[in-house]
Amino acid sequence: MKSGSPAVEAENLVKTYAGDIQAVKGISFAVEAGEAFGLLGPNGAGKTTTIGMLNSTVSPTSGRARLGGRDVARDPIGTRAISSVVFQDSVVDRPLTGRQNLELHLKLWGVRPAEGRARLAELTETVGIADLIDRPVATYSGGERRRMEIVRALLSDPEVVFLDEPTVGLDTRIRHDLFDVIATLRDRTGVTIIMTTHYLDEAERLCDRIAVIDAGTIVACDSPSNFLASIGIEVLEVRADDTQLVVDVLRSHGIAPPDILVIGGTVTASLRTTDGARVLQLLAEASIHVRSATTRSPSLDDVYLRLTGDRITVSSPN
Amino acid sequence: MTITATPPTAVSVQPRPTRSRQVSAIPTLTMRRLTLSVRNSRSVAVPVLTPLLFALVIAPALANTIATPAGRDTYMTYVALATAGLLIPLNCMFSGLGVIVDRQQGAMRELLVAPIRRSSIVVGNLVAALAITALQLAVLIAASALRGASYVTSLHLLWFLAAALLFAILMYGMAEILATRLPSPEEYIGVLPVIAIVPFFFAGTLFPITSLPHWLAAVAKVLPLTHALALFRYGLTEHSGAQALHNIWGMSNVTVMASLSLLVVALFTIAVFTGAVRLFTKGGTS
């Protein structure tokens, strides 16, 4: 990596597909070496397209992407040499064994054979697939295949690894196992990680910073702790027959519109200056029928919904 | 799961891919394709069985059925060489299916983010297709020779080798183009006979193109297979090859006619294979 350069740099990236479909509308961020950076957003937000522009499989309509100080468009092979990708879907030769798949990666990335063999042995042992790498990948479970792909991505000792929804489609236990593996490997290798995910707990667990993408633009970028702090001290969820009445009460007691979210029959409010018990008392005094109410600590789900969901924009009582 | 405590080995990766590195990726990609294509004894037997069947059964049967003035063995040689005009397109076109499978279920996207030129992926697959085609041709010629076909062995063989190589590259280029353009194996299989089989019947395979109606003979003269077949015959039998070349060009100098036919095949090959590489490379980036 060129000294002083961020490991990954996106500068006003724009991607417009045929039919004037704007997938990415000017995304900029910089990721330092060793940092884990999450791209969080709903389906179709532009996360995978952004990753594609960084790994040279999508050509930007405008803007610039750099990896280790190298321009991705001008030096695609050089930037591919210092990075690797774990794709959303499994991308392996299923008839081949795990070892054959891994050795193919070593050869294509130009890793010296002895070093490659040693690293392959260590990484497969670390993630618990050493016993099955001589079996055809077609016989692996989804979780085993994912582990193999994570090992493959790290075999060439890359500076940057792109994880494009690495745990999508896996059951909860395997997902947690896999994230342990990723977190462990990250601690040990110090690799820079760019990850897209739908799972907020994963982003919170792994990422130093998170960019929330919505409709092709970054709507917020901060550390998970700062995001959580921005939500307040407590979150109240109220299910009521008339959500508008609940919103009116919340607004009249100083809760700002951005802190109120209505999804179906549930009103979620981030509480900063009051607590849940006080709000419930106010609702009771207003004779509003509440079907259920819960309070909990803020989570990244709340941040995510606040930034990408149907934020309430009710007009003032006047 | 076992979590070990030792830090992983640091590896040295060549910082910038050099030209030699690009070239060295091709054998790796060829071996990958061959490993995927030839996984068990059945996948070895099937490509060998087809030329054996043609050389040992179909060519002799046709020669026995059709009485030609030149004699049974001459016609058998004629048919055996015609089989090369079927084997090369079929094998190369079927190799294109591997590209679709790679894209849909295999490691294509991993290859596209590898630090190699994307053209290496096409060339690696091509070399694998050429290797299997060469095996089929060797089996065809050896088996038909054992059954009575007579081939001339001289430097003329180079005409055969050059034509077979160029024609196989041309057909693999067609396969790559179709595999890049068509989204599914089903659509690919639908188009395959039009490219690989239909020209076989009009290119002077089982009978000279002079036996075709004039307009169809004119079409046949434009087909690269017609030129390739004439060169196959010129390379391995001389006389029937000279006649086939004369049927195309109508000249008296055989070497000039052979050179012109080789040029035709080469031009088709350059155009199609260059197009295939460009299309694949462009398709690797959306």
Side-chain angles (χ1 to χ4, degrees):
Chain A
M1 191 192 318
K2 289 179 184 170
S3 59
S5 304
V8 179
E9 221 177 337
E11 196 181 306
N12 205 21
L13 285 175
V14 173
K15 180 63 187 178
T16 306
Y17 288 106
D20 205 27
I21 298 163
Q22 286 192 294
V24 174
K25 301 172 186 168
I27 278 181
S28 301
F29 59 84
V31 180
E32 295 304 321
E35 194 179 3
F37 187 80
L39 293 169
L40 207 64
N43 286 330
K47 306 184 298 288
T48 298
T49 304
T50 304
I51 292 261
M53 288 190 276
L54 294 170
N55 67 30
S56 82
T57 54
V58 175
S59 123
T61 307
S62 64
R64 187 176 288 180
R66 289 192 201 89
L67 253 58
R70 293 176 186 169
D71 190 304
V72 175
R74 288 188 188 161
D75 185 11
I77 296 176
T79 53
R80 294 202 291 261
I82 58 164
S83 62
S84 52
V85 186
V86 176
F87 294 93
Q88 220 172 84
D89 313 310
S90 191
V91 176
V92 287
D93 287 323
R94 288 166 197 244
L96 304 187
T97 64
R99 188 184 298 281
Q100 286 172 315
N101 274 282
L102 297 175
E103 285 177 348
L104 176 71
H105 183 97
L106 286 170
K107 286 177 184 165
L108 292 178
W109 264 257
V111 179
R112 297 179 206 289
E115 291 167 356
R117 277 194 298 273
R119 193 164 170 92
L120 187 153
E122 285 175 22
L123 287 171
T124 52
E125 186 67 37
T126 302
V127 305
I129 60 164
D131 294 341
L132 46 100
I133 58 163
D134 290 312
R135 272 175 25 202
V137 175
T139 65
Y140 290 14
S141 68
E144 289 167 342
R145 211 159 42 229
R146 267 315 198 201
R147 286 182 191 206
M148 195 212 76
E149 290 182 291
I150 288 165
V151 167
R152 182 176 65 184
L154 292 170
L155 273 178
S156 56
D157 198 13
E159 289 177 23
V160 180
V161 171
F162 297 101
L163 303 173
D164 191 4
E165 302 197 22
T167 57
V168 76
L170 300 176
D171 70 42
T172 309
R173 201 188 70 78
I174 294 172
R175 206 159 66 75
H176 279 266
D177 268 0
L178 208 61
F179 245 74
D180 267 342
V181 166
I182 295 171
T184 305
L185 292 172
R186 188 220 163 178
D187 290 343
R188 293 177 56 198
T189 59
V191 67
T192 307
I193 292 177
I194 307 287
M195 181 180 81
T196 69
T197 183
H198 284 300
Y199 300 112
L200 300 152
D201 58 321
E202 290 180 354
E204 190 176 353
R205 207 163 137 197
L206 185 75
C207 296
D208 301 311
R209 278 189 307 145
I210 296 167
V212 179
I213 301 187
D214 193 23
T217 54
I218 292 180
V219 292
C221 182
D222 213 330
S223 66
S225 56
N226 283 349
F227 269 132
L228 290 174
S230 73
I231 284 292
I233 50 171
E234 195 174 50
V235 172
L236 171 71
E237 283 182 351
V238 176
R239 291 191 65 221
D241 295 331
D242 191 338
T243 54
Q244 186 60 50
L245 289 176
V246 177
V247 169
D248 290 345
V249 170
L250 293 173
R251 292 282 325 274
S252 64
H253 285 84
I255 298 174
D259 288 339
I260 304 169
L261 190 72
V262 180
I263 297 177
T266 303
V267 179
T268 304
S270 303
L271 307 180
R272 297 168 192 277
T273 54
T274 183
D275 59 32
R278 174 70 187 135
V279 172
L280 289 174
Q281 189 187 345
L282 292 169
L283 292 173
E285 284 168 8
S287 303
I288 293 170
H289 180 236
V290 172
R291 295 166 73 181
S292 67
T294 53
T295 55
R296 55 175 173 77
S297 301
S299 74
L300 271 183
D301 283 306
D302 303 307
V303 178
Y304 182 80
L305 285 172
R306 190 176 169 207
L307 292 167
T308 67
D310 295 323
R311 198 176 308 145
I312 192 73
T313 49
V314 289
S315 53
S316 66
N318 297 328
Chain B
M1 183 187 355
T2 316
I3 305 285
T4 55
T6 51
T9 311
V11 300
S12 1
V13 180
Q14 293 171 21
R16 285 292 294 263
T18 58
R19 181 169 288 279
S20 65
R21 164 102 177 274
Q22 296 307 316
V23 172
S24 75
I26 293 172
T28 301
L29 293 162
T30 300
M31 282 312 295
R32 167 184 176 268
R33 172 57 59 209
L34 285 173
T35 313
L36 285 168
S37 306
V38 186
R39 293 199 302 272
N40 49 41
S41 51
R42 191 182 59 192
S43 55
V44 177
V46 169
V48 172
L49 198 63
T50 313
L52 279 178
L53 194 68
F54 269 93
L56 301 179
V57 180
I58 296 170
L62 280 171
N64 288 338
T65 309
I66 301 164
T68 62
R72 175 193 175 276
D73 285 355
T74 305
Y75 187 67
M76 196 171 73
T77 310
Y78 193 86
V79 174
L81 278 177
T83 308
L86 188 63
L87 287 178
I88 294 173
L90 276 182
N91 185 57
C92 291
M93 291 300 290
F94 275 115
S95 300
L97 272 176
V99 178
I100 298 181
V101 173
D102 271 357
R103 196 174 60 219
Q104 290 190 335
Q105 305 164 20
M108 180 62 84
R109 279 187 290 162
E110 166 78 354
L111 301 182
L112 291 175
V113 296
I116 55 170
R117 283 187 208 289
R118 286 172 179 158
S119 56
S120 321
I121 302 170
V122 181
V123 176
N125 287 342
L126 164 72
V127 176
L130 291 180
I132 296 172
T133 305
L135 172 71
Q136 288 190 312
L137 291 181
V139 169
L140 172 76
I141 288 165
S144 61
L146 287 174
R147 196 73 169 81
S150 57
Y151 300 114
V152 176
T153 49
S154 67
L155 276 179
H156 271 252
L157 182 68
L158 293 176
W159 289 105
F160 170 81
L161 293 176
L165 179 67
L166 286 172
F167 186 60
I169 297 172
L170 163 63
M171 292 317 297
Y172 187 76
M174 289 298 301
E176 275 281 349
I177 289 173
L178 286 180
T180 307
R181 304 290 295 185
L182 299 176
S184 70
E186 291 78 12
E187 285 182 71
Y188 186 91
I189 292 285
V191 176
L192 189 147
V194 179
I195 310 275
I197 299 174
V198 172
F200 176 79
F201 296 105
F202 309 109
T205 45
L206 302 176
F207 45 82
I209 58 169
T210 48
S211 304
L212 293 168
H214 276 304
W215 68 271
L216 206 48
V219 173
K221 287 177 188 176
V222 183
L223 295 174
L225 177 59
T226 311
H227 295 271
L229 268 173
L231 289 166
F232 295 170
R233 296 199 163 111
Y234 183 54
L236 285 176
T237 64
E238 280 191 52
H239 176 71
S240 75
Q243 186 58 52
L245 288 167
H246 182 77
N247 292 343
I248 299 170
W249 298 104
M251 298 178 186
S252 54
N253 187 324
V254 185
T255 308
V256 170
M257 292 190 292
S259 302
L260 287 171
S261 279
L262 196 62
L263 183 65
V264 169
V265 180
L267 290 175
F268 267 105
T269 303
I270 290 165
V272 169
F273 195 71
T274 307
V277 169
R278 283 199 182 153
L279 207 58
F280 179 86
T281 307
K282 200 176 154 200
T285 306
S286 59

